[in-house]
Amino acid sequence: MQNTAAYGSWPSPVSAALAAAGDGRPDHLGTVGDEVWWTAPRPAEGGRRTLVRRRADGTEETLLPPPWNVRSRVIEYGGRPWAAVERPGTGPLLVFCHFPDQRLYVHEPDAAPGAAPRPLTPVSGVGGGLRWADPVPMPDRGEVWCVLEEFTGPAPTDVRRVLAAVPLDGSAADDRTAVRELSDGRHRFVTGPRVSPDGRRAVWLGWDHPRMPWDGTEAILATISADGTFEDARPVAGGPEESVPQADWDAAGRLLLASDRTGWWNLYRAEVAADGALGPLRALCPREEEFAGPLWQTGLTWFRALETGPVAVLHGRGDAVLGILDPDTGTLADAPGPWTAWSSTLAVHGSRVLGVAAGPDRRHEIVELDTRTGRTRVVGSPHTDAVDPAHYPDPVVRTFTGPGGRDIHAHVHPPRNPAATGPAGELPPYVIRAHGGPTGHSALVLDLEIAYFTSRGIGVAEVNYGGSTGYGRAYRERLRGEWGVVDVEDCAAVAAALAAEGAADPARLAIRGGSAGGWTSAASLVRTDVYACGTIVYPVLDLKGWATDETHDFESRYLDGLVGRIDEVPERYEERSPVEHVDRITAPFLLLQGLDDVICPPAQAERLLARVAGRGVPHASLFFPGEGHGFRHADTMIRALEAELALYARVFGFDRPDVPELELRT
């Protein structure tokens, strides 16, 4: 039986604590012999990431207890932080990056049970220090090959990146000179090397400012000499206007890579001659679909070749699903099951393919596909329903029409609660959510933060505005030079459409986003009168500051494409920056910020608050010590979610005595 109650006031078992406990997902999947390993979030343990080991008999164990935190800071967003190899008789050899000091460590969990990991790399006091990612253990050479990010001065852009070889005997733990460099530093950014099956060649990716990796990258091919040096390194694919986000090998030693040369990231293969010459690239399954995505971290994986010839691929429009591709015929068969969105991490072992997948009614799980039988099963991090699934949202995939007739992709999550319904004649409030990136994508998966609102009678619409990935290069380049315009317009168009069709209360619309989504939220409050309030989370607010010295190296030239070069269009930087136009903000807002954020630093949030103070606009702010870009501590996530609900209760006019009241300043 349903009780009638005001939208927003419905009782719900989906608590902020439950949403925080389910935050994050398994990642960086790998196989070690017959075992499956992955990193897993631990929000209740200070937000660290641990390493989980699933043995061949199905038993699981946490390999690294607190305080170990398996996470890299390379390009700040990180890269693959661990790798391990099986050794007959002595068990696996594990190499991983520890987040607090960013050193590489080696660990032998079976050979020396109870022993602590040993450091392999030194600490540097220069700038951001030494950082490592994408390790490839080479025990026969006594080394691990990886990406080295080395700061050369105090500024965030005083940095170089190369491929490096670190001795496994620990001789470089206090000696930077013992680290052997493998690449020549010609590129500002590099990914880790992928070594061919015969050990004779390596391929990696490189790119330079002002391009982002989804703008243009190069696949670099080199010969590995007998002494382990890289020779004759040369670009073999990609370029300034061609993005290659992954390059790897098949079992026969042929080069595989993803490229968007046709406007879509498709998969290609080429023969490599004995002298290293590369044959022509052949498209394996040409489609107007994406077979890869944006390289926000080094080491992301959208395809893996099986030993028997087929290639496991992630592909689709919008979200990606797992398929098995016959590269000779182009035949593609998708894996069965309820999973509609697969993450960019794949592993293969024999005939098995493993990935991380989720769906609208389930959080991310470790899923195994047996290509011999075609059967799938969950082998790790299984989804469990902590509450009745009737409290989960029932989303609808929509395509709205924006300015000029352009398509806008979105997921609409109407209010849903089996025990409550809204009063007759009342329309529900809606929160329009803008994803981060902005070169990113909101996947259609179960998100308990969204369920926290929908189960209380507040609708949520996730907008994959122009600039989002998953819909081809032309769609993501709609934002070129138009950040703060197209994203704002597209979100407003979705909000207006929901109101016009009678799904949402036009007087109770909110805008919400984090990072680049925080920018869109703030810019929306400045440029439109659509929203009654907004939630702005670790945002970009000042383009001029962000384009100079207020962000990290990876994104320090991002605005060249999103806005235009600052020396060519300085007026655009001022006109679009919310911090320059606080006089246009009239709607109440909540600002949430981590104090340790080096990507969107707290200085920008403080600048906005200082300028809005005394102007009569109700607002609140919460700053969280120990939090960087993206909240990871359970107590932070709980406080932030409850504060957001308290804002909507205050502005939209419903009662929520179960959350602390939010004090709004003017």
Side-chain angles (χ1 to χ4, degrees), residues 203-504:
V203 65
W204 66 94
L205 307 178
W207 69 97
D208 296 287
H209 284 321
R211 293 188 300 277
M212 299 301 289
W214 41 87
D215 297 326
T217 58
E218 291 182 332
I220 313 299
L221 182 65
T223 299
I224 302 173
S225 67
D227 63 358
T229 58
F230 287 8
E231 299 177 343
D232 190 28
R234 64 203 184 280
V236 293
E241 297 181 354
E242 179 185 350
S243 169
V244 177
Q246 184 186 347
D248 211 325
W249 305 92
D250 69 7
R254 290 170 291 199
L255 184 66
L256 294 172
L257 58 85
S259 165
D260 70 348
R261 57 179 54 194
T262 64
W264 298 84
W265 276 308
N266 277 194
L267 191 61
Y268 297 82
R269 186 175 73 182
E271 301 280 350
V272 182
D275 62 358
L278 190 72
L281 289 172
R282 182 174 71 85
L284 299 184
C285 187
R287 294 187 180 186
E288 290 191 346
E289 291 185 11
E290 304 284 39
F291 284 71
L295 197 67
W296 277 103
Q297 296 182 333
T298 65
L300 297 183
T301 305
W302 292 272
F303 63 83
R304 289 282 194 198
L306 284 84
E307 296 175 358
T308 51
V311 183
V313 297
L314 302 182
H315 73 100
R317 283 196 177 205
D319 294 334
V321 297
L322 173 65
I324 301 300
L325 172 66
D326 183 329
D328 296 321
T329 65
T331 303
L332 181 59
D334 289 342
W339 307 281
T340 57
W342 292 67
S343 302
S344 49
T345 179
L346 288 176
V348 297
H349 181 67
S351 63
R352 296 183 299 153
V353 180
L354 297 118
V356 177
D361 60 351
R362 59 202 313 115
R363 296 197 298 270
H364 291 87
E365 308 172 285
I366 309 292
V367 180
E368 176 190 88
L369 167 67
D370 188 331
T371 58
R372 294 174 302 177
T373 64
R375 295 178 180 175
T376 53
R377 61 172 182 152
V378 175
V379 297
S381 190
H383 168 77
T384 56
D385 291 315
V387 300
D388 183 346
H391 291 91
Y392 297 159
D394 186 14
V396 181
V397 179
R398 297 281 303 274
T399 301
F400 294 89
T401 301
R406 64 179 182 248
D407 289 343
I408 306 168
H409 302 289
H411 307 142
V412 179
H413 307 258
R416 186 179 187 226
N417 187 313
T421 188
E426 180 182 336
L427 295 175
Y430 256 80
V431 179
I432 307 300
R433 288 173 67 111
H435 62 70
T439 310
H441 177 80
S442 290
L444 189 61
V445 301
L446 176 61
D447 183 338
L448 291 183
E449 282 196 7
I450 292 177
Y452 180 78
F453 293 106
T454 57
S455 63
R456 286 165 170 77
I458 303 171
V460 175
E462 298 178 287
V463 182
N464 282 311
Y465 48 82
S468 302
T469 53
Y471 310 101
R473 184 166 187 133
Y475 190 87
R476 73 176 186 266
E477 289 198 343
R478 285 184 187 176
L479 212 56
R480 181 166 290 276
E482 297 295 325
W483 194 37
V485 179
V486 166
D487 50 325
V488 170
E489 291 176 346
D490 285 2
C491 287
V494 171
L498 291 172
E501 64 191 33

Side-chain angles (χ1 to χ4, degrees), residues 127 138 166 194 210 241 331 392 440 511 517 530 629:
M138 307 289 288
V166 176
R194 301 295 302 173
E241 297 181 354
T331 303
Y392 297 159
I511 182 74
V530 171
H629 198 66

